[in-house]
């Protein structure tokens, strides 16, 4: 919740002074193509609009952006949980992710369709709780850095802002390295 | 076009930079001796987090080559495996860990937990084996198969077995709601012993016609068959056979002689493996943590085995098993396989009691006792490897080599340190109807006792 408040305050404060446009994305989602422990390709799908639970993922995702003439600053937060189990054993993973994106305008197809490219920097932390036969083992990862290369197509028309993003996401416990990510965001801007 | 070029340049440059070392996984960088969290019995780890038989424990895995695939000097793992002649083919797992502040790698999923736990047991078993005198050393690392469907229409889950052809331990899917077999240290030690027995004994019998019936080491017994054999009463058939034996030798078909030796061989293999499992985790019912239905039949105490005293199966009881009427060879194989645990549990119980007797009599530590008895077991299976190839096709029951005979041949040549140790052996071997009241304990001038036939001295 504190990230939402921070995001709203930051966007509101900067709107008047610096940015040409402030965007808040109501609907967003992304698919991460990762490899699991069985070496199978797994599509981790995150959506913030179809309830709290997608498969075994429980997610909360918020994002917004400040767009300047040639530059766009974005902020995304994820808070998601996943779990797996076996007889007597449970694995529960809580992840909190914060990503900033720095995109540069590369061109435009017409007045409202723009091409951006850039990079992202962020951090995430994991709380892992392993349970066995009533006993619990808790482990915290601490802050882990993440980075991404991003290509984005964005439609900005009046109060409407939509993006389609391709990211290559780096973090030390992501497999493969980098993880390809396809994402989209739909929101309003002013 | 220039915009597209700039776009490509930034995107490419960033991704090249991003491939740098800073994004290397902690597990990618871990090799050598690595601390991990596993599930282990409190009896084999110093820092168990609870007094429960099994709990979380931080242990050190030795000589790890690659923690991501959990491979090292002592074990390597295959998932989704298949067989190519005598080789296991299958990818290695992709272990996922979170490293805590103390530098301990915590598994993030079940496959990773299984592999780290099994590596630890594998390392312990190999170090134990290397500390003992054994003619044939095993090849390392040990191959372990996980997460692999096995095509068996009768039972394809809730079991683990050693495959002698592949020289691999295979864990099938576990679906009972108890301790998974792959986390059960006693079960692993049991399967590991089969690899020793295979190398020392079974390989010497590979070309022997008498042992041609495939001893079903890697054949999975149906749970129902195991349950059914506990209901079969052998005593009436055995007493009928005893009566016939008194009146004269019972003529045996060649096929029944082979069934007899399949039962005997599998019985020793399973029994000694059960002892090895008990010895490792110091738990008389280690199997029941995973398979509770075995609690009564394979628990290493007299009352659970419904016995008044330590004993093996008599020739009459062995033959009464062979004479169980079945319609098909495969069904008979199932029966022999299931009954082999009856003989095996008695053998395991004998060695456990022997271990407790010498510990008491010689005032040894548990560690010293285990080492001594483990060596005794290896010496015993070496003696089996010498004796069994010499067994000839019996025409009647008097020419059969009984379990008692094989054990007596070995223990009558063993030096016993005290009168009580010798009395223990005497009591045991005199449960054989052929040796009743016929043995004596004789001490030499160094007060070393030997078990000898009465009057032979």
């Amino acid at each position: 919740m504190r990230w939402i408040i921070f995001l709203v305050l930051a966007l509101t404060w900067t709107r008047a002074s610096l940015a040409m446009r402030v965007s808040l994305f109501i609907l967003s989602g992304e698919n991460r193509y990762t490899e699991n422990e069985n070496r199978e390709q797994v599509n981790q799908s995150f959506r913030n609009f179809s309830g709290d639970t997608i498969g075994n993922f429980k997610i909360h995702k918020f994002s917004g952006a400040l767009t300047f003439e040639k530059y766009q600053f974005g902020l995304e937060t994820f808070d998601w949980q996943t779990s797996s189990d076996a007889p007597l054993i449970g694995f529960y993973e809580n992840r909190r992710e914060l990503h900033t994106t720095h995109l540069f305008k590369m061109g435009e197809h017409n007045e409202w369709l723009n091409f951006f490219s850039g990079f992202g920097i962020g951090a995430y932390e994991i709380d892992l709780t392993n349970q066995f036969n009533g006993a619990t083992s808790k482990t915290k990862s601490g802050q882990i850095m993440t980075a991404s290369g991003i290509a984005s197509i964005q439609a900005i028309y009046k109060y409407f802002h939509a993006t389609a993003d391709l990211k290559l996401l780096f973090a030390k416990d992501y497999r493969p390295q980098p993880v390809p990510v396809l994402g989209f965001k739909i929101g309003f801007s002013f | 076009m220039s915009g597209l070029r700039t776009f490509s340049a930034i995107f490419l440059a960033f991704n090249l930079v991003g491939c740098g070392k800073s994004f290397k996984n902690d597990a990618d960088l871990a090799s050598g001796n690595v601390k991990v969290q596993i599930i282990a019995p409190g009896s084999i780890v110093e820092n168990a987090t609870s007094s429960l038989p099994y709990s979380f424990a931080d242990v050190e895995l030795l000589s790890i080559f690659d923690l991501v695939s959990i491979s090292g000097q002592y074990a390597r793992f295959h998932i989704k495996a298949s067989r190519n002649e005598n080789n296991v083919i299958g990818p290695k797992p992709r272990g996922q860990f979170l490293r805590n502040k103390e530098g301990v790698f915590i598994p993030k999923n079940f496959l990773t937990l299984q592999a780290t736990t099994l590596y630890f047991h594998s390392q312990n078993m190999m170090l134990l084996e290397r500390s003992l005198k054994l003619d044939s050393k095993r090849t390392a690392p040990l191959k372990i198969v996980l997460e692999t469907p096995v095509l068996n229409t009768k039972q394809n889950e809730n079991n683990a077995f050693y495959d002698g052809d592949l020289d691999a331990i295979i864990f099938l899917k576990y679906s009972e709601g108890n301790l998974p077999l792959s986390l059960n240290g006693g079960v692993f030690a049991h399967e590991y012993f089969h690899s020793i027995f295979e190398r020392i004994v079974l390989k010497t019998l590979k070309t022997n016609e008498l042992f041609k019936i495939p001893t079903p080491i890697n054949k999975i017994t149906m749970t129902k068959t195991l349950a059914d054999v506990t209901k079969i009463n052998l005593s009436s058939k055995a007493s009928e056979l005893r009566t016939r034996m008194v009146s004269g030798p019972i003529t045996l078909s060649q096929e029944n002689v082979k069934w007899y030796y399949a039962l005997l061989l599998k019985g020793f293999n399973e029994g000694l493996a059960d002892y090895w499992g008990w010895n490792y985790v110091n738990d008389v019912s280690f199997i029941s943590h995973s398979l509770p239905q075995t609690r009564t039949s394979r628990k290493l105490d007299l009352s659970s085995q419904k016995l008044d005293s330590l004993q093996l199966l008599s020739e009459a009881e062995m033959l009464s098993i062979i004479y169980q009427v079945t319609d098909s060879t495969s069904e008979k194989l199932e029966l022999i396989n299931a009954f082999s645990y009856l003989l095996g549990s008695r053998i395991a119980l004998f060695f456990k009691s022997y271990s407790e007797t010498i510990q008491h009599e010689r005032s040894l530590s548990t560690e010293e006792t285990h080492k001594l008895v483990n060596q005794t077991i290896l010496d015993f299976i070496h003696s089996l490897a010498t004796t069994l190839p010499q067994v000839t096709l019996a025409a009647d029951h008097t020419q059969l080599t009984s379990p008692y005979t094989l054990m007596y041949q070995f223990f009558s040549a063993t030096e016993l340190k005290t009168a009580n140790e010798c009395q223990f052996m005497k009591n045991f071997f005199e449960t054989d109807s052929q040796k009743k009241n016929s043995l004596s304990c004789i001490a030499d001038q160094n007060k070393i006792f030997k078990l000898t036939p009465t009057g032979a001295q």
Side-chain angles (χ1 to χ4, degrees):
Chain A
M1 179 55 84
R2 63 175 188 267
W3 284 112
I4 306 167
I5 295 166
F6 170 77
L7 187 67
V8 170
L9 286 176
L11 295 177
T12 308
W13 180 75
T14 54
R15 169 70 187 98
S17 56
L18 294 169
M20 292 172 62
R21 182 178 285 271
V22 176
S23 304
L24 283 172
F25 298 104
I26 307 299
L27 307 178
S28 62
E30 67 179 47
N31 288 351
R32 294 181 182 178
Y33 299 92
T34 62
E35 189 182 74
N36 70 8
E37 67 274 20
N38 286 314
R39 291 181 178 264
E40 294 159 343
Q41 298 300 314
V42 177
N43 174 17
Q44 288 185 333
S45 186
F46 303 91
R47 307 269 186 277
N48 76 339
F49 52 85
S50 56
D52 277 338
T53 305
I54 305 291
N56 67 344
F57 294 102
K58 244 180 134 180
I59 69 148
H60 302 281
K61 184 176 189 292
F62 299 97
S63 53
L66 300 174
T67 308
F68 302 85
E69 193 178 349
K70 294 280 184 187
Y71 166 73
Q72 186 181 73
F73 170 75
L75 194 63
E76 296 176 5
T77 68
F78 278 88
D79 188 350
W80 56 280
Q81 296 87 44
T82 182
S83 65
S84 61
D85 59 23
L88 301 183
I89 302 161
F91 301 88
Y92 305 91
E93 193 175 330
N94 276 337
R95 247 181 213 248
R96 286 178 300 282
E97 300 186 11
L98 172 68
H99 300 275
T100 64
T101 58
H102 306 274
L103 302 181
F104 302 92
K105 194 171 179 180
M106 294 295 148
E108 57 187 31
H109 182 261
N110 54 37
E111 194 179 315
W112 53 271
L113 191 62
N114 303 285
F115 302 103
F116 286 85
S117 176
F119 62 92
I121 293 174
Y124 64 95
E125 54 186 13
I126 303 169
D127 291 345
L128 178 67
T129 303
N130 289 0
Q131 289 182 345
F132 171 71
N133 204 20
T136 299
S137 160
K138 293 191 173 191
T139 314
K140 285 180 184 294
S141 67
Q143 296 280 337
I144 300 171
M145 189 188 164
T146 177
S148 52
I150 306 165
S152 177
I153 301 173
Q154 303 194 359
I156 304 171
Y157 183 72
K158 292 187 177 173
Y159 297 110
F160 174 79
H161 190 169
T163 77
D165 307 320
L166 166 67
K167 290 188 211 172
L168 294 176
L169 192 59
F170 296 88
K172 67 180 186 179
D173 65 345
Y174 284 175
R175 298 278 182 183
Q177 191 83 278
V179 168
V181 181
L182 279 173
F184 70 89
K185 295 187 282 250
I186 300 171
F188 59 87
S189 67
F190 52 92
Chain B
M1 280 307 283
S2 69
L4 191 62
R5 274 200 299 273
T6 316
F7 159 81
S8 305
I10 292 176
F11 194 68
L12 189 66
F14 181 80
N15 289 313
L16 288 172
V17 171
C19 292
K21 193 175 164 61
S22 62
F23 294 110
K24 279 265 186 189
N25 192 301
D26 290 332
D28 279 326
L29 301 169
S31 60
N33 297 351
V34 180
K35 283 186 183 166
V36 295
Q37 185 184 71
I38 63 168
I39 303 286
S43 55
I44 61 165
V45 287
E46 291 170 0
N47 55 353
T49 54
S50 92
S51 57
L52 291 168
Y54 281 81
S55 62
F56 290 112
D58 294 346
V59 300
E60 192 166 48
L61 304 186
L62 305 177
S63 303
I64 288 284
F65 303 146
D66 169 27
L67 188 61
V68 175
S69 60
I70 309 116
S71 61
Q73 188 182 324
Y74 296 103
R76 75 166 197 251
F77 296 87
H78 296 275
I79 55 174
K80 294 180 274 185
S82 58
R83 177 193 298 260
N84 181 5
E85 295 184 350
N86 287 344
N87 295 315
V88 182
I89 296 173
K92 294 172 180 175
R94 176 74 82 184
Q96 295 178 336
F97 298 91
L98 192 62
R99 193 171 67 167
N100 70 14
K101 279 183 279 185
E102 290 75 37
V104 179
F105 285 87
I106 314 294
K108 284 169 69 177
N109 52 57
F110 184 49
L111 178 61
T112 310
L113 177 67
Q114 289 179 90
T116 47
T117 301
L118 287 165
Y119 188 97
F120 178 69
H121 294 314
S122 183
Q123 140 192 328
N124 288 349
M125 282 296 109
M126 281 201 190
L127 290 174
L128 169 68
E129 188 184 330
R130 287 175 190 175
S131 73
L132 301 168
K133 287 181 217 148
L134 194 60
D135 284 350
S136 163
K137 296 290 179 195
R138 70 157 303 108
T139 52
L142 180 66
K143 288 168 273 181
I144 300 173
V145 173
L146 296 166
E147 303 276 326
T148 295
V150 172
L151 297 176
N152 183 324
T153 53
K154 290 175 178 173
Q155 188 177 349
N156 57 10
E157 55 186 41
N158 301 326
N159 213 331
F161 58 90
Y162 170 74
D163 187 314
D165 294 332
L166 295 177
D167 188 26
I169 293 176
I170 295 161
F171 286 90
L172 305 184
K173 182 186 166 197
Y174 182 79
S175 61
E176 293 203 14
N178 303 292
L179 179 72
L181 285 160
S182 52
L183 301 184
N184 188 321
V187 167
F188 181 81
H190 172 103
E191 298 306 332
Y192 186 89
F193 181 82
H194 287 321
S195 76
I196 299 176
F197 198 86
E198 171 87 18
R199 253 182 11 257
I200 307 298
V201 182
L202 298 183
K203 280 211 168 133
T204 64
L205 302 172
K206 280 260 157 67
T207 54
N208 192 317
E209 276 299 311
L210 204 52
F211 296 92
K212 270 288 181 210
I213 288 176
T215 313
I217 302 302
N218 55 0
K219 174 101 172 123
I220 302 146
T221 310
M222 290 171 74
T223 310
K224 187 178 175 305
T225 312
L226 282 171
D228 287 350
V229 298
T230 61
K231 295 174 198 150
I232 295 173
N233 185 359
L234 295 176
S235 57
S236 59
K237 185 76 181 172
S239 79
E240 179 198 318
L241 286 165
R242 267 188 219 104
T243 311
R244 283 177 58 194
M245 284 173 181
V246 171
S247 55
I250 299 172
T251 309
L252 299 167
S253 69
Q254 189 173 330
E255 192 195 2
N256 277 343
V257 174
K258 288 183 177 181
W259 283 117
Y260 174 91
Y261 284 114
L263 173 63
L264 180 136
L265 199 58
K266 170 91 170 158
F268 273 109
N269 197 351
E270 293 299 339
L272 296 172
D274 272 359
Y275 168 83
W276 211 258
W278 167 79
N279 171 66
Y280 180 51
V281 293
N282 199 20
D283 183 346
V284 290
S285 56
F286 67 88
I287 299 167
S288 70
H289 297 306
S290 302
L291 303 170
Q293 74 274 15
T294 64
R295 189 186 297 276
T296 50
S297 56
R298 285 173 75 180
K299 190 174 176 183
L300 300 186
D301 63 38
L302 287 172
S303 60
S304 298
Q305 295 189 29
K306 296 178 184 157
L307 296 173
D308 299 326
S309 61
L310 293 175
Q311 56 191 274
L312 300 177
L313 292 179
S314 66
E315 275 173 346
E317 285 171 317
M318 295 277 284
L319 286 176
S320 68
I321 293 168
I322 305 305
Y323 286 148
Q324 291 296 319
V325 177
T326 57
D327 296 331
S328 70
T329 302
S330 66
E331 204 174 316
K332 191 148 190 166
L333 196 62
E334 284 286 330
L335 263 178
I336 297 293
N337 196 18
F339 270 116
S340 68
Y341 292 98
L342 183 66
L343 172 61
S345 295
R346 294 185 183 192
I347 292 165
L349 182 55
F350 163 79
F351 277 99
K352 174 181 168 281
S353 303
Y354 172 63
S355 170
E356 289 161 348
T357 302
I358 65 166
Q359 177 167 22
H360 179 259
E361 288 298 313
R362 301 181 196 183
S363 302
L364 299 174
S365 68
T366 303
E367 197 178 329
E368 289 169 327
T369 310
H370 284 179
K371 185 160 186 180
L372 195 65
V373 179
N374 286 339
Q375 187 61 57
T376 303
I377 288 191
L378 295 187
D379 293 344
F380 175 63
I381 64 170
H382 275 121
S383 83
L384 289 181
T386 310
T387 311
L388 289 175
Q390 295 168 19
V391 170
T392 52
L393 188 65
D396 62 58
H397 85 271
T398 61
Q399 295 168 10
L400 290 170
T401 302
S402 73
Y404 275 113
T405 306
L406 290 168
M407 287 182 68
Y408 182 76
Q409 276 176 4
F410 177 76
F411 279 104
S412 60
T414 302
E415 292 181 345
L416 301 162
K417 302 275 185 191
T418 69
N420 283 342
E421 281 180 31
C422 197
Q423 188 61 39
F424 167 85
M425 285 293 175
K426 180 176 181 297
N427 292 344
F428 172 69
F429 283 110
E430 285 189 343
T431 57
D432 180 6
S433 57
Q434 293 179 2
K435 290 201 165 50
K436 212 164 203 169
N437 302 320
S438 68
L439 299 172
S440 299
C441 285
I442 305 297
D444 63 16
Q445 62 270 34
N446 298 321
K447 293 194 175 171
I448 298 295
F449 289 81
K450 280 209 170 173
L451 195 61
T452 54
T454 303
Q457 65 280 15

